[in-house]
Amino acid sequence: GKNPWSFRFFGRLHWDFIGDQENDPTAMIRDVWDNYDGAAQVQLYEFFAKVDNLGKQGNSLTLGRQFIDDGIWMQFDGARYDWIIDPSQGLDLSIFGGVPVLLWTEDAWSDGNWSVGLVGHWKPGKQTRLRLEYYHISQYFAGINDGLSDPSEATTEIPATRLNDDFLGLSVWHDFNAATHVYGRFTLLEGDPNELELRARWRSKDGKWLVVADWYNLFTRLTNVTNDLTPYVPMMGVYEPFGKLGGRATYRPSDRWVLQGGLAYRALFDEIDEGTFNREYTYYYFTVSVLDLADQHMDITANAIGYAASGGSDVATITGDVAWRFDEKWRASIGIDYQLYKYDYLQNAEREDVYTYYLRVRWKATRTQEASLLFSIDDDRYTEWISLFLYWTWRF
């Protein structure tokens, strides 16, 4: 109705039944939750109040913990004002500021982190849209392996410092017609060219073909920057300039058959920069799906994925899956996949030549609740590992 106020809460409670394993040297670290002291942990994703219909154009003000996902993705505690300047031209501006939220650390406020930014949209024509974004982010970085008693023990050391990053981006969408669309995005980091992304998409009139081609370019050496711009550099090291060209296609000759395939090539601008996480490679995949067999009860899917990386590092995966819908409540699927390389997170182990056989059963108990069971056997040349997972999902 006329009430302009609204409120939103979105959070998560994670409870580990095994409890605190921090002091048990034999315990397996299955995921990031095992790194906490207690068994129960709370994550607060959104908690804000919003007032709409401000001014003649219906502007809005949001206060509290919230997301920004225009251009870059950011979660922050603060304020955001959405200003509708000219609805007829799609001209609007979002101005925001606050403290960036780092979900896996407790020091976001005490470290004095802050950010401000704005995102503007404009539609100069029926077929063209523009987006301009600016972010300034200030974040304290505690360093990696900083302060060790014996510096020679540190394989990679990044000293503690305060990071201050200015990020500027421009994105363009254009529709040539109902079938052909293009997208482009160019960014600056600290005033230097950072990224260029181009994408073209075409869909046939009969809807049977969908073809996408894309290009990505990293212009300059990407070193340690704030988490909202990239959280990976502290873990994986410096990213050297590279280009990536790829394409994919989907063909549906009928409602029952779906064929998909794709190919991509990644190349460094200077081969001498190649490292563990900076590789040149060719990637490819192909998928065949046959749907609604046996009176629309059964689906069959086969999939092949491969990486051919420089240095002779090849990885291949082949999977097959058969799914059966008994009725509206019960579904089951059985399948097999082969992986040349697989990381087993339950045992913190790397495996080669792994065959996985699995059975998954789902039961929709009510409109909002669903139970599922996953039974799998991993078999490589040395060991056989059996696992059973039980899930209960409640949507409300």
Side-chain angles (χ1 to χ4, degrees):
K2 295 182 179 181
N3 185 354
W5 288 90
S6 62
F7 303 88
R8 178 170 174 82
F9 166 79
F10 176 33
R12 173 179 182 175
L13 171 64
H14 183 94
W15 179 24
D16 189 338
F17 289 92
I18 298 178
D20 182 13
Q21 302 184 82
E22 186 182 41
N23 298 319
D24 183 359
T26 64
M28 293 184 297
I29 299 180
R30 298 157 299 179
D31 50 41
V32 69
W33 302 100
D34 278 343
N35 211 33
Y36 284 92
D37 292 340
Q41 300 297 327
V42 176
Q43 293 286 355
L44 181 61
Y45 300 129
E46 288 181 302
F47 187 54
F48 63 76
K50 183 178 181 180
V51 55
D52 292 302
N53 302 325
L54 298 174
K56 296 181 180 180
Q57 303 288 4
N59 304 332
S60 64
L61 175 66
T62 306
L63 300 172
R65 177 160 295 187
Q66 55 193 291
F67 292 111
I68 288 286
D69 58 1
D70 268 341
I72 68 172
W73 187 91
M74 175 184 288
Q75 184 183 22
F76 68 98
D77 294 327
R80 169 178 175 175
Y81 187 75
D82 294 313
W83 178 21
I84 302 175
I85 302 172
D86 188 346
S88 63
Q89 295 192 26
L91 187 60
D92 61 65
L93 185 66
S94 297
I95 306 170
F96 49 89
V99 178
V101 174
L102 305 176
L103 288 175
W104 308 109
T105 180
E106 301 174 355
D107 302 324
W109 280 80
S110 61
D111 286 339
N113 299 338
W114 61 276
S115 66
V116 295
L118 57 87
V119 177
H121 301 90
W122 180 36
K123 194 173 182 179
K126 293 183 179 180
Q127 297 175 302
T128 305
R129 293 179 293 130
L130 302 174
R131 178 182 66 201
L132 178 68
E133 67 215 55
Y134 168 75
Y135 294 83
H136 178 85
I137 307 171
S138 178
Q139 174 192 328
Y140 173 74
F141 177 69
I144 295 180
N145 298 326
D146 189 38
L148 289 176
S149 58
D150 184 1
S152 63
E153 296 179 1
T155 56
T156 301
E157 182 173 349
I158 303 177
T161 186
R162 173 158 293 277
L163 304 172
N164 291 282
D165 294 322
D166 285 288
F167 181 88
L168 183 67
L170 175 65
S171 302
V172 181
W173 294 262
H174 182 73
D175 303 329
F176 287 100
N177 48 51
T180 308
H181 314 272
V182 294
Y183 163 77
R185 173 175 165 83
F186 177 72
T187 66
L188 297 172
L189 182 59
E190 295 298 298
D192 296 323
N194 183 42
E195 297 170 302
L196 174 65
E197 184 179 359
L198 301 173
R199 183 179 302 116
R201 185 183 65 182
W202 173 79
R203 184 186 297 274
S204 62
K205 292 183 179 180
D206 57 11
K208 292 183 177 181
W209 280 97
L210 174 64
V211 181
V212 179
D214 49 41
W215 164 263
Y216 176 84
N217 195 108
L218 178 66
F219 287 100
T220 55
R221 197 169 188 255
L222 184 60
T223 57
N224 198 28
V225 294
T226 51
N227 282 58
D228 295 291
L229 296 180
T230 173
Y232 304 113
V233 170
M235 294 182 291
M236 296 186 173
V238 172
Y239 256 29
E240 303 293 345
F242 70 91
K244 183 179 179 182
L245 176 66
R248 56 193 183 275
T250 301
Y251 177 53
R252 300 182 67 108
S254 67
D255 293 337
R256 179 160 291 180
W257 285 84
V258 182
L259 307 176
Q260 295 176 308
L263 180 69
Y265 176 67
R266 184 186 193 272
L268 295 166
F269 290 169
D270 191 340
E271 294 183 359
I272 199 173
D273 294 330
E274 190 166 35
T276 304
F277 300 104
N278 260 343
R279 308 295 295 273
E280 292 188 334
Y281 62 78
T282 301
Y283 163 77
Y284 56 89
Y285 78 93
F286 186 73
T287 301
V288 179
S289 300
V290 188
L291 310 176
D292 297 332
L293 297 172
D295 294 330
Q296 299 186 348
H297 285 285
M298 184 170 64
D299 298 332
I300 301 176
T301 301
N303 185 48
I305 302 173
Y307 281 91
S310 56
S313 299
D314 297 336
V315 178
T317 300
I318 301 175
T319 66
D321 181 274
V322 178
W324 184 273
R325 294 179 293 276
F326 295 93
D327 50 37
E328 294 182 355
K329 290 190 174 182
W330 285 94
R331 292 174 293 163
S333 60
I334 186 170
I336 179 175
D337 74 61
Y338 165 77
Q339 297 189 37
L340 193 62
Y341 167 84
K342 184 176 183 179
Y343 174 71
D344 185 346
Y345 75 93
L346 285 175
Q347 300 187 89
N348 190 26
E350 296 179 323
R351 303 191 183 283
E352 297 179 351
D353 292 327
V354 183
Y355 291 87
T356 300
Y357 312 89
Y358 65 87
L359 169 67
R360 177 182 283 113
V361 179
R362 294 186 177 95
W363 173 51
K364 190 174 183 180
T366 67
R367 293 180 59 186
T368 59
Q369 299 181 55
E370 180 180 280
S372 62
L373 175 148
L374 174 61
F375 174 78
S376 65
I377 301 175
D378 283 353
D379 188 6
D380 61 27
R381 66 183 72 174
Y382 302 113
T383 60
E384 186 177 86
W385 177 258
I386 299 175
S387 58
L388 176 66
F389 294 90
L390 300 175
Y391 301 93
W392 185 272
T393 304
W394 178 26
R395 300 176 179 87
F396 57 92

